[in-house]
Amino acid sequence: MKAFQIEFTAREHGLLREALQNYGISKRTLASVKYGGGHLLVNGSEVTVRHPLEIGDAVTVIFPKETQGKGLTAENGPLAIVYEDEALLIVEKPPGQNTIPSREQPFGSLANYVAGHFGRHGIPSTLHIATRLDKDTSGLVCIAKNRHVHHLLSVQQQEKRMNRRYEAFVHGEVAAEKLVITAPIGRKGTSIIEREVREDGKFAETEMELIQSDGGISHVRLKLNTGRTHQIRVHMAHIGHPLLGDDLYGGGRELIERQALHCTELQLDHPVSGKRLSYTSALAGDMHGLIQS
């Protein structure tokens, strides 16, 4: 498969470098194109970033082919693909699967399986996971097939144009129908894994909406306005409603063996076409069973 490329038409006079930066190509990405085997074309001819553009010139950026890092082993494994094109891959991750491999669990992660998928289909890219989920959180995950695409997705997240919504089951009957939780999150001093709300933490904001409350359990919908580690889990525990199954933050495992959290919706602007994309994911079986019971 050919290397990833983008095309656009110059709308004003100026140097190619300026047009590329206005198009969202970072200096780091541009350096990788220049020194890593990529190509810059204007009207089909190769040029440098100092090339003067005329209105209507056809610009093509061919990005260098990427290779998988040596620390990631490609594996054949099941992938629940929701959407795929030359720039993006959106999948549903099951509960109990790591998003990326770890020293203790180097195999069987979502990243291992995606690397295998790329290899089987001749996709010349390493994977760039834009929306990572905890091991026991299920639902939608967005993966970029190129460094430039990953950069554009990161900008979308910073500008809050990428929306992620979750559903969760929490202990206690939540009183408010809608609530915005704004509380800074940082690493807990006694743990390398656990986070907590603390004054010197990073700004974090979560929107919560009550779906149903009954029998000492609440079913809630959540929207992330920031992307801190364990954000939903920490914020819900902070307001006295830890997630069911989340024993790290005070939840009990009587009804479910993992934190009852699922990414149900993902909305973003396609990084190349600009088209608004929206995808949904049904609750995993164990969480759906909580509704029935």
Side-chain angles (χ1 to χ4, degrees):
M1 184 177 291
K2 66 179 182 179
F4 178 73
Q5 68 181 50
I6 58 171
E7 300 174 352
F8 64 93
T9 301
R11 297 181 178 179
E12 57 186 21
H13 297 282
L15 296 181
L16 176 58
R17 179 194 296 111
E18 298 167 352
L20 295 174
Q21 292 174 352
N22 291 336
Y23 198 77
I25 299 179
S26 68
K27 291 181 179 179
R28 182 179 180 182
T29 301
L30 191 55
S32 73
V33 173
K34 184 177 179 180
Y35 301 109
H39 303 278
L40 299 174
L41 307 178
V42 174
N43 300 325
S45 299
E46 188 150 9
V47 298
T48 71
V49 293
R50 295 184 296 276
H51 181 84
L53 289 178
E54 300 291 336
I55 295 174
D57 280 348
V59 178
T60 303
V61 182
I62 302 174
F63 294 87
K65 292 183 178 182
E66 299 178 358
T67 56
Q68 293 293 343
K70 295 180 179 179
L72 179 62
T73 302
E75 295 182 85
N76 292 328
L79 278 181
I81 296 175
V82 175
Y83 174 85
E84 183 175 18
D85 64 12
E86 75 285 350
L88 292 176
L89 175 65
I90 298 174
V91 301
E92 289 183 301
K93 187 185 83 66
Q97 182 184 42
N98 285 324
T99 301
I100 61 174
S102 64
R103 182 177 299 178
E104 295 76 19
Q105 295 179 311
F107 306 110
S109 75
L110 181 66
N112 292 115
Y113 292 173
V114 171
H117 173 74
F118 283 2
R120 290 193 304 275
H121 292 85
I123 299 171
S125 172
T126 185
L127 68 159
H128 307 271
I129 297 176
T131 60
R132 189 181 301 183
L133 296 180
D134 296 335
K135 177 181 178 180
D136 286 336
T137 300
S138 50
L140 295 168
V141 175
C142 181
I143 300 162
K145 291 184 175 180
N146 176 271
R147 292 186 185 91
H148 172 59
V149 172
H150 190 214
H151 166 71
L152 294 179
L153 294 178
S154 298
V155 171
Q156 281 195 47
Q157 289 176 303
Q158 294 167 9
E159 296 177 349
K160 298 183 179 180
R161 291 185 288 119
M162 179 185 286
N163 296 324
R164 288 177 287 162
R165 290 182 173 83
Y166 296 73
E167 288 185 24
F169 292 90
V170 302
H171 288 280
E173 298 190 10
V174 177
E177 290 192 2
K178 291 187 178 181
L179 182 66
V180 178
I181 308 166
T182 304
I185 293 175
R187 189 188 302 273
K188 192 170 184 178
T190 58
S191 173
I192 61 172
I193 299 174
E194 193 173 355
R195 266 58 174 177
E196 64 181 355
V197 170
R198 50 189 302 155
E199 291 184 359
D200 62 348
K202 294 181 179 180
F203 175 79
E205 186 174 85
T206 306
E207 296 181 28
M208 188 217 73
E209 177 184 358
L210 178 64
I211 298 175
Q212 185 178 3
S213 185
D214 183 44
I217 296 174
S218 296
H219 181 192
V220 297
R221 182 178 293 112
L222 302 128
K223 178 177 177 289
L224 288 175
N225 291 334
T226 52
R228 308 305 176 200
T229 300
H230 296 179
Q231 179 173 317
I232 288 174
R233 300 164 65 186
V234 172
H235 272 175
M236 293 309 296
H238 176 65
I239 65 171
H241 297 287
L243 273 61
L244 267 63
D246 191 3
D247 54 359
L248 182 62
Y249 293 107
R253 291 201 163 193
E254 296 82 8
L255 297 177
I256 189 170
E257 289 295 314
R258 52 105 177 186
Q259 67 251 19
L261 183 62
H262 184 92
C263 183
T264 57
E265 187 175 348
L266 176 64
Q267 295 178 336
L268 68 151
D269 297 331
H270 192 282
V272 178
S273 70
K275 180 182 177 181
R276 190 66 174 170
L277 303 179
S278 181
Y279 295 96
T280 58
S281 171
L283 292 178
D286 55 354
M287 286 183 64
H288 185 70
L290 293 173
I291 298 177
Q292 295 178 321
S293 62

